[in-house]
Amino acid sequence: MATQRSSRALRLALRQASAPHVQQRTFVSAVKAASRPAVKQTAVSSFVQQTRGAKTVDFAGDKEKVYERDDWPRDKLLEYFKNDTLALIGYGSQGHGQGLNLRDNGMNVIVGVRKDGASWKEAEQDGWVPGTNLFDIDEAIGKGTIIMNLLSDAAQSSTWPHIKPQLTKGKTLYFSHGFSPVFKKQTGVEVPTDIDVILVAPKGSGRTVRTLFREGRGINSSFAVFQDVTGKADEKAQALGVAIGSGYLYKTTFEKEVYSDLYGERGCLMGGIHGMFLAQYEVLREKGHSPSEAFNETVEEATQSLYPLIGANGMDYMYAACSTTARRGAIDWSKKFKDTLKPVFEELYDSVKTGKETQRTMEYAGRKDYREAFEKEMEEIREMEIWRAGKAVRSLRPENA
Ligand SMILES: NC(=O)c1ccc[n+]([C@@H]2O[C@H](COP(=O)([O-])OP(=O)(O)OC[C@H]3O[C@@H](n4cnc5c(N)ncnc54)[C@H](OP(=O)(O)O)[C@@H]3O)[C@@H](O)[C@H]2O)c1
């Protein structure tokens, strides 16, 4: 899974292209800038969409074309998909976010889920109507021209023998992750050779896909083409990326998407950061610091004060907003952390690329009791001292009083 970044990164890249070099900022200017809203907020009402055009952006010397809503304004989207039925299969986090955004964008979208599953009820609660735009999986695939496979990655594999024969010539197959076709030896997802196969992968949770869209913002997404039979796969992916509510879209390949995604979530986005938190907290506790102090110095200050500064304007900006003492030590120690951790990241990338990570996921998700096993792990995490301390710290935030 990826971070919940918005198209703020693009805006920042554009701003930095014309702005003086950020390191020239003083502490005072950094603090002043911190109090400015980093993004002009659009009215939060009724799904206002920002518009801007496709452009080539210089990402630190690497020029890349990006796609935005201006390339696919709503009228153009409606015209482009006027003969299509988008059949969204699965209604988990991504199904919910992408489905509701497509519906609000006026697309002809239907949902396909199993009738006895939790998703059916959830879809009904979100206003999908059985027999009108909510069907069982086979019926939805039968009606759809663009089949958006948003089942869990494990379910994409287990249902594939049943789904594949229904993907007849003329349909398009869409994923939000390269997992299934890239690791086909493990998943068995060998796509039919006579259909377009594309991907749009939002860089964040489906819940964020929805909330950003409702705020008139948008999640960043990558898009890719696995197989182009019609010669239109590329533009179809871009258009779908905009239709599901992306902020900006960058092009990748299925392989690069799945490698970077699995690597990122195991690394800095989730696993790595959890490991860092635990290591730092444990040492503080062993050295006699209280849980409250250890949590504040490890997690609370990070998430509530410093990481938002990095998100708003970059690492130098965060450093500039901190004391000289903090800055000196942090810059010095960052090198040691980088050198120590780099071999771990190299090992992690290899583990992803060689399929070890997908194998582990498939085996785990293939267990009958995987939901219970996962819940047990969540419970263990919840019960760790650090996260229990965190609960107490959060309860003391003034806004939670
Ligand atoms: N979640 C994210 O943050 C995220 C971000 C980017 C991309 N993606 C990708 O988006 C895709 C969907 O992910 P997700 O997190 O939205 O999905 P998910 O929550 O893991 O699962 C979605 C759906 O799978 C269905 N399902 C599970 N087992 C099934 C089975 N055996 N037969 C039929 N249906 C089954 C569930 O239906 P029931 O309720 O009936 O069980 C549910 O509707 C994946 O490829 C994922 O990698 C996810």
Side-chain angles (χ1 to χ4, degrees):
M1 186 189 89
T3 46
Q4 303 169 357
R5 286 168 306 177
S6 70
S7 54
R8 212 178 267 188
L10 173 65
R11 240 173 257 121
L12 181 60
L14 293 171
R15 196 175 346 138
Q16 285 181 341
S18 56
H21 195 273
V22 280
Q23 282 169 350
Q24 289 164 0
R25 262 191 220 126
T26 61
F27 171 74
V28 174
S29 66
V31 171
K32 275 187 184 153
S35 58
R36 282 197 306 267
V39 182
K40 188 171 169 280
Q41 296 286 331
T42 317
V44 180
S45 65
S46 63
F47 321 118
V48 182
Q49 291 219 27
Q50 299 158 330
T51 50
R52 243 185 350 229
K55 46 178 75 77
T56 301
V57 173
D58 187 338
F59 290 96
D62 191 3
K63 291 197 176 55
E64 220 180 281
K65 192 163 183 193
V66 297
Y67 301 84
E68 299 182 276
R69 291 174 185 164
D70 252 10
D71 300 314
W72 292 94
R74 197 162 158 159
D75 288 352
K76 188 172 163 189
L77 281 178
L78 290 173
E79 175 63 25
Y80 190 79
F81 291 118
K82 71 179 179 203
N83 296 322
D84 281 307
T85 299
L86 313 185
L88 203 141
I89 308 304
Y91 201 73
S93 159
Q94 288 298 328
H96 163 89
Q98 298 188 28
L100 293 179
N101 292 354
L102 287 167
R103 197 172 74 185
D104 287 340
N105 268 334
M107 301 295 124
N108 178 22
V109 55
I110 59 175
V111 170
V113 283
R114 48 184 175 186
K115 277 190 170 148
D116 54 351
S119 297
W120 181 277
K121 272 200 192 80
E122 210 180 309
E124 278 189 306
Q125 279 161 10
D126 285 345
W128 302 93
V129 181
T132 302
N133 54 16
L134 175 60
F135 303 96
D136 72 24
I137 293 177
D138 289 349
E139 206 174 346
I141 296 177
K143 289 179 187 296
T145 55
I146 298 179
I147 312 305
M148 303 177 70
N149 194 332
L150 295 180
L151 296 174
S152 66
D153 295 307
Q156 287 176 22
S157 171
S158 63
T159 59
W160 185 247
H162 181 74
I163 285 181
K164 184 176 179 181
Q166 303 179 63
L167 301 173
T168 48
K169 197 167 188 284
K171 293 193 194 268
T172 294
L173 178 59
Y174 165 108
F175 293 100
S176 279
H177 200 5
F179 191 110
S180 296
V182 170
F183 290 102
K184 62 183 175 196
K185 282 201 185 114
Q186 288 159 357
T187 62
V189 177
E190 182 98 49
V191 299
T193 52
D194 56 354
I195 59 170
D196 287 350
V197 181
I198 59 178
L199 159 159
V200 176
K203 299 291 117 190
S205 142
R207 301 284 151 185
T208 323
V209 170
R210 181 62 178 158
T211 49
L212 290 179
F213 179 81
R214 285 176 67 95
E215 292 168 8
R217 298 161 67 201
I219 195 122
N220 297 340
S221 303
S222 59
F223 75 97
V225 172
F226 193 76
Q227 189 166 277
D228 186 2
V229 170
T230 62
K232 297 202 162 141
D234 200 87
E235 66 178 27
K236 216 183 302 177
Q238 286 166 35
L240 275 170
V242 171
I244 64 157
S246 302
Y248 90 87
L249 292 143
Y250 61 91
K251 192 164 180 182
T252 187
T253 62
F254 270 60
E255 284 80 9
K256 283 190 173 146
E257 190 283 328
V258 69
Y259 296 162
S260 59
D261 192 76
L262 297 179
Y263 172 78
E265 64 204 7
R266 282 156 178 72
C268 283
L269 302 178
M270 295 166 73
I273 205 70
H274 192 193
M276 286 269 286
F277 283 158
L278 294 180
Q280 173 161 320
Y281 181 91
E282 271 179 31
V283 171
L284 282 170
R285 292 286 292 127
E286 283 156 17
K287 303 290 178 193
H289 297 264
S290 69
S292 161
E293 183 164 67
F295 188 84
N296 268 292
E297 290 293 352
T298 302
V299 180
E300 190 74 350
E301 184 172 342
T303 59
Q304 302 307 298
S305 169
L306 301 179
Y307 294 175
L309 295 177
I310 303 171
N313 274 311
M315 189 60 83
D316 67 303
Y317 178 81
M318 187 272 281
Y319 280 143
C322 295
S323 69
T324 314
T325 313
R327 217 185 304 170
R328 179 68 273 128
I331 294 168
D332 291 346
W333 275 87
S334 70
K335 293 184 184 63
K336 180 150 190 164
F337 279 114
K338 194 199 105 175
D339 293 346
T340 309
L341 289 172
K342 197 167 168 197
V344 180
F345 279 102
E346 271 158 0
E347 182 190 337
L348 168 58
Y349 194 89
D350 284 348
S351 185
V352 167
K353 196 167 175 183
T354 55
K356 259 198 218 163
E357 295 303 311
T358 25
Q359 187 64 37
R360 161 107 174 107
T361 302
M362 297 285 298
E363 280 167 11
Y364 184 80
R367 286 169 48 174
K368 282 213 160 63
D369 66 339
Y370 93 92
R371 280 179 211 271
E372 293 78 19
F374 182 64
E375 181 45 37
K376 192 166 165 266
E377 281 184 294
M378 291 299 100
E379 184 61 17
E380 279 163 15
I381 291 171
R382 254 193 305 277
E383 287 309 314
M384 287 170 123
E385 185 194 280
I386 179 174
W387 301 115
R388 282 188 288 118
K391 198 173 170 192
V393 170
R394 286 194 298 279
S395 75
L396 291 167
R397 289 183 192 156
E399 67 271 26
N400 293 337

